[in-house]
Amino acid sequence: MYPVSLDVNGKTVSAEVDARTSLLDLLRETLGMPGSKKGCDHGQCGACTVIVNGVRINSCLSLAVSHDGDAVTTVEGLADGESLSPLQKAFVSHDAFQCGYCTPGQLCSATALLDEIKRGEPSVVTDGKVTLNEEEIRERMSGNLCRCGAYNNIVDAILSVAGEPA
Amino acid sequence: MNQQDSRKWIGQPLDRVDGPAKVTGQATYAADYRGNSPAAIGFIVEAGIGKGRIVSIDTRAAEASDGVLLVLTHQNAPEQAPFGSHDDAGRFGQSHAVLENENVKYHGAPVAFVVAETLEQARHAAHLVSVRYDQQPGVFDAEAHEDKATKPDSLDGADQADKEVGHFEPAFEKSAVTVEAEYHTPSQHASAMEPHATVAEWSDGKLTVHMAVQIIADARKGFANTLKIEPGDVRIVSPFIGGGFGSKLGIHNEAILAALAARELDRPVRVAQTRRNLFANGPHRTAHRHRLKLGADADGRLQAVSHDSLAVMSRGYPFAEAAGGLTQSSYAAEAIRMSHRIVEANVPKVDSMRAPGEAIGTLVFESAIDELAERCGIDPIEFRLLNEPETEPGSGKSFSTRPLARCLREGAAKFGWQSGVVRPGMKRDGRWLIGHGVAAAIRPNNIEPAGAEASLARDGRLTLSLDMTDIGTGTYTILGQIAAETLGMDTGAVEVRLGDSDFVETCGSGGSFGAGSTGTAVQQACDSIRTDILARAARIDPDWSGVNSADLTIDGDRVSVGDRSLALGDILDAVGGEAFRAKSHIKPGDAHKTMAQYSYGALFAEVGVDADTAEIRLRRLLGVFDAGRILNHKTAHSQLMGGMIFGIGAGLLEESLMDMRYGAFMNRDLAEYHIAVNRDVPRLEVHMLEGFDEHSNPLGSKGIGELGICGTGPAIANAVYDATGHRARKFPIHIEDVLPAVARLTKGNAASR
Ligand code: FES
Ligand code: FES
């Protein structure tokens, strides 16, 4: 077992982890935060997406021991107390989910995506300047599968938030 | 919105009431449940052969491994009722015994179950279990064993496996124009984002299961019948389900394994199937061969229609899909025939996947119709309109409603359909060959028996309790709307409690019957409360007798009709009691027997096919649907879109490929089983006709969850034909299938340049 200490949603937490434990299982099993979901455990669905030091990753593909000292944001940490983040609100009002299982990952992905755009990070569909548009969103959200097929509403929710002053 | 309108909740596009829980990670799915004592974690060891016998199984290394608590195999598994017994309980309620004996039923079936303190330990130890097999030749492929094909005893979604109306052969013989073609549709896995998961715990001989399941009452029977206990000793809890699409109608291997191990260890056991597990330990839609023969007269009137299907059935698990069922209801013809044949095979459970029957049936049938229209020299929409039936062709029954023509016409106008005979390869946008396609969607409308319980407290808060599930279908929200409208109250004062076998039994979620059936039960329970309030109020104040119950409203803790008003508490105090309570139980009405009831749609697709690579991109997809009265426009819209996206998968992406030497599915993960991702999906247009089918149920609604998938795949296939001249004979459509047609077109163009 190996000690790790990390910041999760603004709180410092410490745990002893098995070297084989993924960041996802650290969150779900050891830290009692099952909000992040496991859809495949193989980096193929995005349900486990969390934000680590400002960048989204598939937490199932990353070993917990490699995150000592990191700052992690999960779906449980997106709201400000009782008040939902603009993206969370937009997901509800645009019906950007049905079963909701992919939603924690979609939300973390979308939250990080907005920062990627601000930082000017290009994607494969970027043509010149990086701007937020439907095609960029579809491309950048394609690592987050949604079997219920909420894709169009997810795109609309993200667009609606991007239109708001940050 | 004025005061009066605000009481009309049914249909309103309300946000999901479970939305906030779902966007904050507070919705607890099965694998998220944490009980009072920590659960041990289970991991399935799968059979590495498709058929044969376990000669020896060595679990010593696994048992000695760190943290391991138990290794179950057929040698030490507790006694269960034989798999399939109690078949009168239906295939979901029958025994689902696991680890029964040394015989391997299918590739990937559990041969051992390792339980340890942690997932890492269980997974590691699972790899230490060593199994030696005596492998035997198995039956995996229906076509290779067609000589063993039989007629299934029953068919899911149709009353007869074989049926002929009129005389097919002579009608086909005399047809001036014919299409005769063989199609293949693939095996598919529902691939809900939430893998099947179960947490089982025992206390005093009673089992409590937190699991992902669509129909709670059947699951309860399934556990009881497998474990030889009373259904009353099983409690199932399933408040949130991460998608079902048929795959969670019943219970699956992980559920029974968890229950067995939890009893052995006297400790809760949790197991989530891995994504890989699911391809064998969950159900799948099996591959079908379809033979279609269609004949029309010279004017394009259908004379003869036949659909013969062949597929495997999982040995000992009676399920066969009514692939040809919709020949009975789609278009008028002098003679209609369908037949279904199955081959019992050593394959994992074959079962329902979203729109069983129609999803694959429309794929091939609506493709063939398009082909016949072309051969008749008629626009595909005109052709369908020309063959609209007066009554259901297969049964002669009247349709409860038949708005297909309207869906087609309105869709054509909205899509900008250019009518005329399909002439492939005529539209171009730069390097893209453009094609347009249309198809009809049709899906039976069912109502199933369901109950509901409602309780109105003195403070004016209403609680609904029923064992219904919300699998993403919006059930929590819709039932609240129906209740609030019936009692003239605010939706905010309604609490909907679902997903618990302690509540009244319903039909659960499946076959698009959930909302209509349980919604009607909720409406009836609330209607009883309304009547009860008025009867009691009249005893206090005679001025209340004879008032119209439909005018009743509840505001806070007061009930009013017109200018009469009383506190609910005063009524209760006067007659005694703590709350107004009512239970209801509904059954399908006679009109479900005497009339043909369907939901309808028309789908329009535009594809672009790359003139060099034959890459197919869906550019537009539009659907016009009629599912009777819409209960919530927001969630209904989402369900239809979700169904259409499933249809994109059926047309272009999804197939589970089996290695026929071993009976093993090969592409057992989400990198190789392709479902549509965000960028595969264009902006979808969904239009819902405002209907009301009085024959369906008192709400006027019809099933909607499966409708979108029917029709989308064939609309895409027909668009691919329009773009390239390639007629799809197998699905999903691959680039390499289309390339020859594209090459012919581009060569032709080069020559004429
Ligand atoms: S669970 Fe991590 S990508 Fe699927
Ligand atoms: S909402 Fe169900 S998978 Fe996305």
Side-chain angles (χ1 to χ4, degrees):
Chain A
M1 301 293 267
Y2 301 85
V4 287
S5 172
L6 59 169
D7 176 309
V8 180
N9 299 329
K11 279 202 206 91
T12 306
V13 292
S14 302
E16 295 275 318
V17 298
D18 191 315
R20 298 165 293 190
T21 302
S22 66
L23 175 59
L24 176 61
D25 284 328
L26 169 68
L27 293 165
R28 290 182 53 84
E29 304 293 325
T30 318
L31 301 179
M33 301 175 65
S36 304
K37 299 292 180 255
K38 188 182 283 187
C40 68
D41 221 13
H42 280 58
Q44 298 169 343
C45 76
C48 65
T49 308
V50 300
I51 305 168
V52 176
N53 303 332
V55 175
R56 54 183 166 152
I57 65 164
N58 288 332
S59 62
C60 70
L61 277 193
S62 196
L63 291 172
V65 284
S66 67
H67 289 284
D68 194 38
D70 283 349
V72 180
T73 304
T74 72
V75 69
E76 290 99 334
L78 296 177
D80 183 2
E82 287 295 291
S83 125
L84 300 182
S85 78
L87 261 176
Q88 286 174 310
K89 277 188 211 151
F91 264 56
V92 174
S93 64
H94 286 88
D95 211 30
F97 50 86
Q98 292 182 45
C99 76
Y101 197 81
C102 71
T103 311
Q106 303 279 2
L107 279 163
C108 286
S109 225
T111 303
L113 175 158
L114 294 176
D115 287 336
E116 286 164 18
I117 300 287
K118 274 192 211 126
R119 289 197 297 266
E121 290 174 17
S123 80
V124 69
V125 300
T126 305
D127 191 8
K129 194 171 160 333
V130 179
T131 49
L132 193 70
N133 56 43
E134 182 167 339
E135 201 187 4
E136 283 282 4
I137 294 173
R138 286 196 192 278
E139 165 61 23
R140 289 169 194 256
M141 292 301 289
S142 280
N144 289 89
L145 305 184
C146 175
R147 186 52 154 167
C148 298
Y151 297 129
N152 285 268
N153 293 349
I154 290 168
V155 170
D156 288 345
I158 298 173
L159 280 172
S160 78
V161 169
E164 278 182 17
Chain B
M1 213 185 282
N2 65 36
Q3 179 62 28
Q4 204 183 354
D5 278 346
S6 72
R7 305 287 177 186
K8 293 280 170 224
W9 294 112
I10 297 175
Q12 298 282 344
L14 297 194
D15 291 348
R16 284 170 204 266
V17 292
D18 49 349
K22 284 178 173 172
V23 297
T24 53
Q26 303 305 313
T28 45
Y29 301 82
D32 303 342
Y33 169 73
R34 302 289 179 267
N36 294 331
S37 51
I41 306 297
F43 202 90
I44 297 171
V45 182
E46 297 185 344
I49 59 167
K51 179 173 192 297
R53 213 168 51 81
I54 298 170
V55 175
S56 69
I57 182 157
D58 185 349
T59 58
R60 284 168 298 179
E63 273 155 351
S65 183
D66 256 5
V68 171
L69 301 165
L70 176 70
V71 181
L72 282 179
T73 67
H74 70 277
Q75 287 162 338
N76 64 347
E79 198 201 329
Q80 306 155 71
F83 182 93
S85 57
H86 302 281
D87 57 356
D88 53 339
R91 68 184 195 279
F92 306 134
Q94 67 173 43
S95 168
H96 286 262
V98 287
L99 304 174
E100 283 188 283
N101 51 42
E102 71 278 15
N103 296 321
V104 171
K105 292 207 279 194
Y106 51 86
H107 205 286
V111 292
F113 186 59
V114 178
V115 186
E117 293 288 347
T118 70
L119 172 64
E120 292 78 11
Q121 292 166 339
R123 183 173 56 205
H124 175 71
H127 291 101
L128 301 176
V129 174
S130 135
V131 193
R132 286 203 311 117
Y133 300 100
D134 166 21
Q135 190 171 341
Q136 295 155 7
V139 174
F140 309 120
D141 179 357
E143 286 190 81
H145 296 274
E146 196 173 355
D147 54 323
K148 302 190 186 75
T150 56
K151 188 168 118 179
D153 292 338
S154 68
L155 199 60
D156 182 75
D159 36 6
Q160 289 162 273
D162 289 6
K163 190 165 172 179
E164 181 161 354
V165 179
H167 298 290
F168 174 78
E169 287 303 340
F172 185 70
E173 285 300 306
K174 70 166 204 250
S175 296
V177 189
T178 60
V179 167
E180 195 171 343
E182 184 171 296
Y183 297 84
H184 287 89
T185 54
S187 291
Q188 295 177 333
H189 281 80
S191 305
M193 291 317 300
E194 177 202 23
H196 295 53
T198 301
V199 189
E201 42 191 335
W202 291 83
S203 154
D204 299 331
K206 292 189 197 311
L207 172 66
T208 301
V209 192
H210 288 75
M211 72 179 304
V213 70
Q214 296 174 224
I215 306 178
I216 283 188
D218 282 347
R220 192 181 208 184
K221 282 183 217 142
F223 279 103
N225 284 335
T226 310
L227 302 171
K228 302 181 161 185
I229 55 178
E230 291 303 314
D233 290 338
V234 182
R235 178 170 173 221
I236 314 270
V237 186
S238 198
F240 290 102
I241 295 141
F245 316 113
S247 73
K248 293 170 184 162
L249 286 166
I251 55 178
H252 297 286
N253 295 337
E254 99 289 346
I256 299 298
L257 288 166
L260 292 175
R263 191 164 57 182
E264 290 296 296
L265 291 170
D266 194 19
R267 177 176 170 182
V269 169
R270 168 153 49 96
V271 51
Q273 290 203 32
T274 64
R275 181 57 61 183
R276 186 179 165 77
N277 282 154
L278 283 167
F279 284 79
N281 287 281
H284 68 285
R285 164 182 280 146
T286 191
H288 282 71
R289 185 196 68 197
H290 312 257
R291 287 190 172 144
L292 270 69
K293 287 184 180 180
L294 307 182
D297 67 16
D299 299 329
R301 288 189 195 280
L302 271 174
Q303 302 298 307
V305 173
S306 84
H307 188 155
D308 302 304
S309 91
L310 175 70
V312 295
M313 174 184 274
S314 180
R315 199 173 284 282
Y317 190 73
F319 174 86
E321 189 166 349
L326 51 83
T327 52
Q328 307 295 308
S329 52
S330 293
Y331 304 109
E334 191 185 308
I336 296 174
R337 187 185 75 185
M338 66 168 182
S339 79
H340 297 83
R341 290 291 174 273
I342 50 117
V343 173
E344 281 210 76
N346 309 95
V347 298
K349 269 184 208 161
V350 173
D351 209 320
S352 294
M353 181 168 140
R354 200 172 194 174
E358 289 72 27
I360 56 172
T362 52
L363 208 50
V364 299
F365 184 62
E366 286 289 313
S367 294
I369 287 285
D370 202 75
E371 194 165 344
L372 186 60
E374 183 199 12
R375 291 199 188 165
C376 290
I378 301 177
D379 170 79
I381 294 178
E382 278 312 309
F383 183 83
R384 287 173 172 84
L385 295 174
L386 187 64
N387 289 292
E388 262 292 281
E390 294 283 314
T391 55
E392 185 179 43
S395 68
K397 292 177 188 172
S398 313
F399 289 109
S400 63
T401 66
R402 175 80 186 182
L404 177 60
R406 196 174 149 210
C407 292
L408 285 163
R409 286 200 184 95
E410 292 197 15
K414 288 180 161 62
F415 185 79
W417 183 258
Q418 292 153 316
S419 35
V421 186
V422 177
R423 290 180 57 213
M426 303 302 286
K427 294 185 273 294
R428 197 71 195 244
D429 175 13
R431 58 184 297 110
W432 296 96
L433 304 162
I434 305 299
H436 291 170
V438 62
I442 175 166
R443 170 75 195 158
N445 175 56
N446 294 311
I447 290 289
E448 294 288 331
E453 184 170 7
S455 163
L456 179 68
R458 56 176 58 226
D459 63 358
R461 296 198 60 82
L462 180 78
T463 307
L464 301 174
S465 312
L466 46 166
D467 82 352
M468 179 59 182
T469 48
D470 186 333
I471 60 172
T473 36
T475 319
Y476 280 109
T477 313
I478 292 162
L479 295 183
Q481 289 175 262
I482 294 167
E485 178 159 326
T486 310
L487 282 165
M489 64 197 293
D490 198 84
T491 49
V494 185
E495 187 196 347
V496 182
R497 305 199 299 172
L498 304 178
D500 192 327
S501 60
D502 280 355
F503 303 149
V504 180
E505 181 169 331
T506 68
C507 52
S509 303
S512 300
F513 49 64
S517 308
T518 59
T520 302
V522 162
Q523 190 189 40
Q524 278 201 7
C526 292
D527 187 48
S528 301
I529 286 192
R530 193 162 69 171
T531 313
D532 187 28
I533 293 173
L534 291 179
R536 294 188 192 203
R539 284 202 255 156
I540 302 177
D541 178 355
D543 198 27
W544 282 71
S545 50
V547 300
N548 184 355
S549 67
D551 298 334
L552 178 147
T553 60
I554 294 171
D555 251 313
D557 60 358
R558 294 191 75 80
V559 55
S560 311
V561 175
D563 49 12
R564 302 169 195 78
S565 172
L566 279 171
L568 288 165
D570 290 344
I571 307 179
L572 285 168
D573 289 341
V575 294
E578 268 319 294
F580 299 93
R581 290 181 217 279
K583 270 193 186 183
S584 62
H585 185 80
I586 65 107
K587 302 195 299 288
D590 285 345
H592 284 270
K593 283 207 196 80
T594 57
M595 303 189 103
Q597 300 199 16
Y598 297 89
S599 298
Y600 295 93
L603 277 301
F604 294 78
E606 176 180 306
V607 300
V609 180
D610 188 291
D612 294 316
T613 67
E615 178 190 359
I616 305 164
R617 299 296 297 174
L618 181 62
R619 293 158 63 111
R620 289 175 66 199
L621 183 62
L622 178 148
V624 176
F625 300 99
D626 185 300
R629 187 177 183 197
I630 301 300
L631 300 173
N632 176 321
H633 273 268
K634 189 174 282 194
T635 58
H637 190 274
S638 293
Q639 273 194 290
L640 288 166
M641 279 206 299
M644 288 158 80
I645 294 172
F646 244 77
I648 298 172
L652 297 175
L653 299 166
E654 293 181 34
E655 58 186 326
S656 303
L657 297 162
M658 184 174 271
D659 183 332
M660 291 303 179
R661 293 169 302 173
Y662 308 109
F665 282 118
M666 298 182 286
N667 51 334
R668 295 175 63 176
D669 61 47
L670 293 172
E672 299 198 51
Y673 184 87
H674 296 157
I675 66 170
V677 304
N678 205 318
R679 219 181 141 205
D680 291 323
V681 178
R683 198 146 277 279
L684 306 177
E685 276 184 67
V686 175
H687 301 278
M688 293 174 267
L689 302 182
E690 277 303 332
F692 188 100
D693 190 338
E694 59 182 348
H695 304 291
S696 170
N697 60 49
L699 296 164
S701 71
K702 297 206 235 198
I704 204 166
E706 297 166 302
L707 184 57
I709 182 173
C710 309
T712 293
I716 293 171
N718 294 339
V720 168
Y721 176 76
D722 184 37
T724 66
H726 168 74
R727 278 285 178 205
R729 293 283 188 252
K730 71 183 179 56
F731 292 91
I733 304 173
H734 287 193
I735 286 176
E736 62 269 25
D737 304 331
V738 184
L739 260 176
V742 169
R744 274 195 299 276
L745 267 182
T746 38
K747 224 195 283 160
N749 286 349
S752 63
R753 231 178 257 150

